[in-house]
Amino acid sequence: MLRGLQIVHRDDRGREISVPAGQAAGISVAGGEPVWVPLRHRSERSIVTYWWSATTGKLVGCRSLERLSVAMLLDFHPNVVEFSAWTARLEWRERSRIRRFVPDFFVRTAAGATVVVACPPASGPSGRWQRQQEVLKQACEAAGWQLGSPRLPQHAALANLRWVSRYRHPRCADATVGQALREVFQEPTGLMDGVEASGVPRVQALPRLYHLMWRRELTMDWSVPLGLASVVRPGGLTAPRMDPFRVQDPS
């Protein structure tokens, strides 16, 4: 265990607070304010953007398009109740220098666990990255946190989820249309056949249908490209689940 390993976060007044990693168990980092924001340099190929989270109703920072996909997966995950970006950083002394590392996301699960997510560089893990992961693992063990392992799904599933995510905002919900769609899709039914059977005009039905799929109230075979002939079925806990993000204890 590194000596002097600290967790830096912001308190309710926005002040930076530093605590030893072993005392960080009670810190609510998943919903805090960022301690760091990436600055774009023209020599870098990454792009900083923000994901609007249907889970929290807030913007979540992403410093690359790959991380934007991970944010989408976190937002879709049924066990994630809150997540944010860059809300804590690790600090430690090594070779007479202060080292710092900011994980990409901090997550709170339905069970109350804190999960830390650090995505590898697009160019592949480097020696520096491996060392940061070693320190992150030590910090998680000391704080009682978990490590999250991002696992992007296959191309078709990822493309389907990206499309459905466009309709994640509550403005795409409609109680009356939603009930009509749930009724026609009580049994596995072709997407367009169900829309026509609902009696709702396509232009009104499709956004509500995709919203229900984002909310997992309806589902499909995510590995097959989404189309008008896709078979839609009831969702919920008993439906076959798409779990594109694995939350696990560090091993």
Side-chain angles (χ1 to χ4, degrees), residues 24-32 53-58 60 70-71 73-87 104-117 144-148 245-248:
I27 297 175
S28 179
V29 289
S53 169
T55 301
T56 65
K58 300 178 182 179
V60 179
V70 174
L73 299 176
L74 283 170
D75 206 13
F76 185 67
H77 198 290
N79 294 328
V80 172
V81 298
E82 187 173 31
F83 71 104
S84 56
W86 317 318
T87 48
D104 293 292
F105 304 105
F106 289 88
V107 181
R108 183 167 60 86
T109 70
T114 296
V115 182
V116 186
V117 180
W145 297 342
Q146 298 178 12
L147 285 176
F245 192 87
R246 183 172 61 253
V247 172
Q248 62 184 23

Side-chain angles (χ1 to χ4, degrees), residues 50-166:
Y50 289 84
W51 174 265
W52 183 83
S53 169
T55 301
T56 65
K58 300 178 182 179
L59 293 174
V60 179
C62 307
R63 53 178 169 171
S64 71
L65 294 179
E66 289 79 8
R67 290 167 175 83
L68 190 68
S69 293
V70 174
M72 175 181 68
L73 299 176
L74 283 170
D75 206 13
F76 185 67
H77 198 290
N79 294 328
V80 172
V81 298
E82 187 173 31
F83 71 104
S84 56
W86 317 318
T87 48
R89 71 173 180 266
L90 280 58
E91 290 189 356
W92 69 98
R93 181 174 292 274
E94 192 170 50
R95 296 180 181 177
S96 301
R97 293 182 59 184
I98 298 297
R99 309 288 182 176
R100 297 178 176 87
F101 177 61
V102 180
D104 293 292
F105 304 105
F106 289 88
V107 181
R108 183 167 60 86
T109 70
T114 296
V115 182
V116 186
V117 180
C119 303
S123 58
S126 61
R128 179 185 179 188
W129 164 257
Q130 297 291 356
R131 178 54 179 161
Q132 289 171 340
Q133 291 306 287
E134 292 173 2
V135 175
L136 178 57
K137 182 175 180 178
Q138 291 185 34
C140 287
E141 290 174 347
W145 297 342
Q146 298 178 12
L147 285 176
S149 176
R151 177 169 55 91
L152 294 180
Q154 296 298 317
H155 176 75
L158 190 60
N160 291 339
L161 188 57
R162 282 175 178 155
W163 180 266
V164 171
S165 73
R166 299 177 182 181

Side-chain angles (χ1 to χ4, degrees), residues 186-207:
Q186 286 183 0
E187 299 293 334
T189 305
L191 187 150
M192 202 59 227
D193 291 340
V195 168
E196 292 178 351
S198 72
V200 179
R202 181 191 300 191
V203 69
Q204 297 180 22
L206 288 178

